[in-house]
């Protein structure tokens, strides 16, 4: 499989009031086309920092980051981000929020009708055709997050980056959206990197689970390959011994090898 | 009076002569106006009675519904008028509510008369004050809002300008008037200049604050989408700053309306501030009280209109 993103010996150091703070060190990871990766670890371990580096929102202090063979020098529409708190613009309708992204990526090449079609398709993909004219404050948290996903997917990105996309949702809505995401990923064959702190979510959605050691100076502790057949069904998986095995492997890493001292 | 005298001297306009003329004309007009006012009021009442009778049931329900909202303010106003009545019962310099009401009826029955440059209806006075405020405030908005955006966007600029703004902002409006007179050599632009300089600060400061408070999430969206500078401004920066900007505008227009009265007292001409001073020279104290109510009402309307606009554009509560 083709490598979309290559991360070579990347480290990230922030300058703080109390001197330099090393968040990440020695990160090596290749992300292949069509694969789903979860980044998991205790809070404050630098999961989001790593995702922001791939997104290009921050630049690494050391090491090399490549996307399609070119150095990542900043954010770009080929690396779409779904933010934790949806980050929809409150003064635009759901349609306009998605259209903003569509227009940016395809506006130069395509006509208005095609752009409109793309926007409607993206919203239909997440099942929100009926909410096109609604403003973000008029829809539920789960719907907002779906618009965020639609906005990201509408750009037809090379890679979809998700920062705890379902973290702020209740358990039932989260499960529903996870199932939907499974379907969307299967349908679009998108490449995805997702930050999560939910073990079940990591196993359900990923081909590989990247486990980070505790910060400061966090690095990749283990990488777990999840060899479960797709499409995966939440209910069928629950009784499967393999599922339980992957689950306990991650739990083992998080709660035995990387015990988080009570703050 | 000293201020007017020195100023009139400097500007060479015949203030004293004009005052005398006004004093001659005023009583004649108000006597004639009173009769007209009475008939006008009577007409209004007869036309209003019929629908009220027809919709008596609905009106009662409506009254009950809004009674809770309307009654307390009305009671407060009645208390104020009652206190005013009692305080002026013994007579003295201040006219009572009845006397003031009669004068008000006379004045408002013909608000748009013109009888020479220094004797015009209260409507003209209010309108010319509003015009001065609109021009001074408009120029202040044109300069202040872009300046606020610049200050919010570029930290160096903010560091450069903030001490200057802090220094100039607390200066009393009237201290700026002589500078305006010196530069423009005429009273009217000087008053406008005073409005401009006093109403520009809240707009600069609030807009700048709004720009620095644009949520980082929105800016990250802009960066991920790689939006052009124009799109960032129109789709993200401007709508995000708009509520702050409107707060600045609201504070500015309040200040402008405060300042105009004082400025016009000194510059003369037509305007509600000048009118107050003119009526003081005529010893028409009831007119001064009417002017106070008019100034308050116009200020209230300006404030409420902008509050309404602000609520329309406030996305934060959503």
């Amino acid at each position: 499989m083709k490598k979309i993103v290559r991360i070579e010996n990347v480290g990230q150091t922030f300058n703080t009031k109390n001197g330099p703070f090393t968040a990440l060190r020695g990160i090596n990871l290749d992300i292949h086309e069509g694969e789903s990766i979860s980044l998991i670890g205790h809070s404050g371990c630098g999961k989001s920092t790593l995702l922001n580096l791939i997104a290009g929102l921050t630049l690494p202090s050391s090491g090399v980051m490549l996307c399609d063979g070119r150095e990542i020098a900043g954010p770009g529409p080929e690396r779409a981000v779904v933010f934790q708190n949806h980050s929809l613009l409150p003064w635009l309708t759901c349609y306009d929020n998605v259209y903003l992204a569509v227009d940016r990526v395809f506006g130069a090449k395509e006509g208005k009708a095609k752009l409109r079609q793309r926007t409607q398709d993206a919203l239909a993909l997440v099942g929100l055709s009926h909410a096109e004219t609604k403003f973000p404050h008029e829809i539920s948290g789960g719907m907002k997050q779906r618009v965020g996903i639609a906005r990201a997917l509408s750009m037809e990105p090379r890679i979809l980056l998700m920062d705890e996309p379902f973290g702020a949702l209740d358990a039932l809505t989260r499960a529903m959206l996870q199932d939907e995401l499974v379907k969307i990923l299967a349908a679009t064959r998108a490449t995805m990197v997702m930050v999560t702190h939910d073990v079940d979510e990591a196993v359900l959605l990923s081909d590989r689970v990247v486990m980070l050691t505790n910060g400061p100076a966090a690095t990749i502790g283990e990488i777990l390959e999840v060899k479960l057949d797709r499409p995966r069904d939440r209910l069928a998986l629950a009784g499967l011994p393999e599922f339980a095995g992957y689950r306990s492997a991650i739990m083992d890493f998080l709660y035995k090898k990387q015990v988080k001292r009570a703050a | 009076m000293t201020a007017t005298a020195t100023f009139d001297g400097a500007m060479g306009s015949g203030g004293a002569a004009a005052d005398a003329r006004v004093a001659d004309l005023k009583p004649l007009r108000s006597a004639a106006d009173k009769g007209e006012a009475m008939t006008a009021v009577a007409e209004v009442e007869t036309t209003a009675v019929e629908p009220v009778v027809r919709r008596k049931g609905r009106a009662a329900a409506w009254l009950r519904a809004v009674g809770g909202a309307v009654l307390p303010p009305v009671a407060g106003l009645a208390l104020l008028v009652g206190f005013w009545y009692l305080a002026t019962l013994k007579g003295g310099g201040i006219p009572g509510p009845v006397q003031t009401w009669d004068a008000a009826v006379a004045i408002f029955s013909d608000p748009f008369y013109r009888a020479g440059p220094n004797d015009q209806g209260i409507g003209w006075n209010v309108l010319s004050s509003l015009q001065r405020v609109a021009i001074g405030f408009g120029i202040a908005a044109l300069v202040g809002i872009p300046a606020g955006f610049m200050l919010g966007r570029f930290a160096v600029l903010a560091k450069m300008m903030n001490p200057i703004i802090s220094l100039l902002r607390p200066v009393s409006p009237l201290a700026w008037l002589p500078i305006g007179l010196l530069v423009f050599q005429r009273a009217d632009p000087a008053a406008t200049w005073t409005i401009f300089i006093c109403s520009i600060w809240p707009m600069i400061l609030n807009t700048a604050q709004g720009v620095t408070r644009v949520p980082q999430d929105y800016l990250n969206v802009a960066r991920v989408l790689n939006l052009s500078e124009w799109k960032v401004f129109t789709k993200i920066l401007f709508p995000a700053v708009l509520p702050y900007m409107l707060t600045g505008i609201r504070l500015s227009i309040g200040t402008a309306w405060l300042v105009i009265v004082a400025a016009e007292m000194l510059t003369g001409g037509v305007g509600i501030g000048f009118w107050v001073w003119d009526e003081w020279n005529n010893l028409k104290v009831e007119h001064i009280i009417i002017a106070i109510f008019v100034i308050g009402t116009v200020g209230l309307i300006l404030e409420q209109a902008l509050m309404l606009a602000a609520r329309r554009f406030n996305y934060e509560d959503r």
Side-chain angles (χ1 to χ4, degrees), chain A residues 183-208:
Chain A
K183 279 184 212 139
I184 289 169
L185 289 177
T188 57
R189 293 203 195 83
T191 312
M192 180 193 73
V193 177
M194 179 170 71
V195 168
T196 184
H197 51 224
D198 181 334
V199 176
D200 288 339
E201 184 172 274
V203 178
L204 181 71
L205 293 174
S206 356
D207 300 308
R208 287 194 289 162

Side-chain angles (χ1 to χ4, degrees), chain A residues 11-228:
Chain A
Q12 177 73 301
T13 305
F14 295 110
N15 286 317
T16 66
K17 262 187 249 167
N18 308 322
F21 171 82
T22 305
L24 294 172
R25 64 176 167 83
I27 302 276
N28 286 291
L29 185 68
D30 289 340
I31 300 165
H32 301 100
E33 188 152 25
E35 119 180 287
S36 300
I37 290 183
S38 287
L39 303 176
I40 200 166
H42 287 291
S43 56
C45 76
K47 307 181 290 275
S48 295
T49 308
L50 182 54
L51 196 84
N52 285 346
L53 283 172
I54 302 172
L57 288 169
T58 48
L59 296 177
S61 320
S62 62
V64 182
M65 310 221 18
L66 300 173
C67 178
D68 282 328
R70 275 173 304 163
E71 186 163 10
I72 295 175
E78 80 279 2
R79 282 163 282 128
V81 184
V82 176
F83 297 93
Q84 179 174 9
N85 50 355
H86 67 78
S87 295
L88 299 178
L89 301 176
W91 43 82
L92 297 181
T93 60
C94 295
Y95 179 91
D96 286 333
N97 264 291
V98 177
Y99 188 84
L100 190 67
V102 172
D103 186 39
R104 173 66 191 92
V105 179
F106 303 104
K109 299 171 285 203
E110 297 175 359
K112 280 269 180 335
K114 187 81 207 298
L115 298 180
R116 203 156 42 231
Q117 190 58 47
R118 279 182 182 279
T119 308
Q120 283 164 354
D121 289 349
L123 282 166
L125 192 66
V126 297
L128 280 181
S129 295
H130 62 281
E132 276 182 5
T133 56
K134 292 231 161 70
F135 284 91
H137 67 95
E138 295 172 321
I139 60 178
S140 69
M143 287 165 86
K144 280 181 210 161
Q145 203 52 271
R146 288 198 283 184
V147 177
I149 293 170
R151 176 172 66 185
L153 288 172
S154 71
M155 300 192 276
E156 294 191 350
R158 296 280 286 140
I159 182 165
L160 185 63
L161 305 172
M162 306 178 97
D163 190 357
E164 294 191 31
F166 312 130
L169 304 176
D170 64 275
L172 287 176
T173 312
R174 191 186 309 165
M176 221 173 65
L177 279 185
Q178 285 164 355
D179 292 345
E180 250 176 80
L181 188 61
V182 168
K183 279 184 212 139
I184 289 169
L185 289 177
T188 57
R189 293 203 195 83
T191 312
M192 180 193 73
V193 177
M194 179 170 71
V195 168
T196 184
H197 51 224
D198 181 334
V199 176
D200 288 339
E201 184 172 274
V203 178
L204 181 71
L205 293 174
S206 356
D207 300 308
R208 287 194 289 162
V209 179
V210 174
M211 292 175 265
L212 295 175
T213 62
N214 281 350
T219 188
I220 296 176
E222 282 175 35
I223 297 181
L224 178 78
E225 283 206 41
V226 181
K227 289 175 180 156
L228 293 170

Side-chain angles (χ1 to χ4, degrees), chain B residues 265-277:
Chain B
M265 278 190 180
L266 297 181
T267 58
V270 185
I272 191 73
F274 169 72
W275 195 71
V276 169
W277 194 248

Side-chain angles (χ1 to χ4, degrees), chain B residues 4-23:
Chain B
T4 326
T6 36
F7 174 68
D8 280 346
M11 298 307 292
S13 77
D19 287 353
R21 210 166 48 234
V22 170

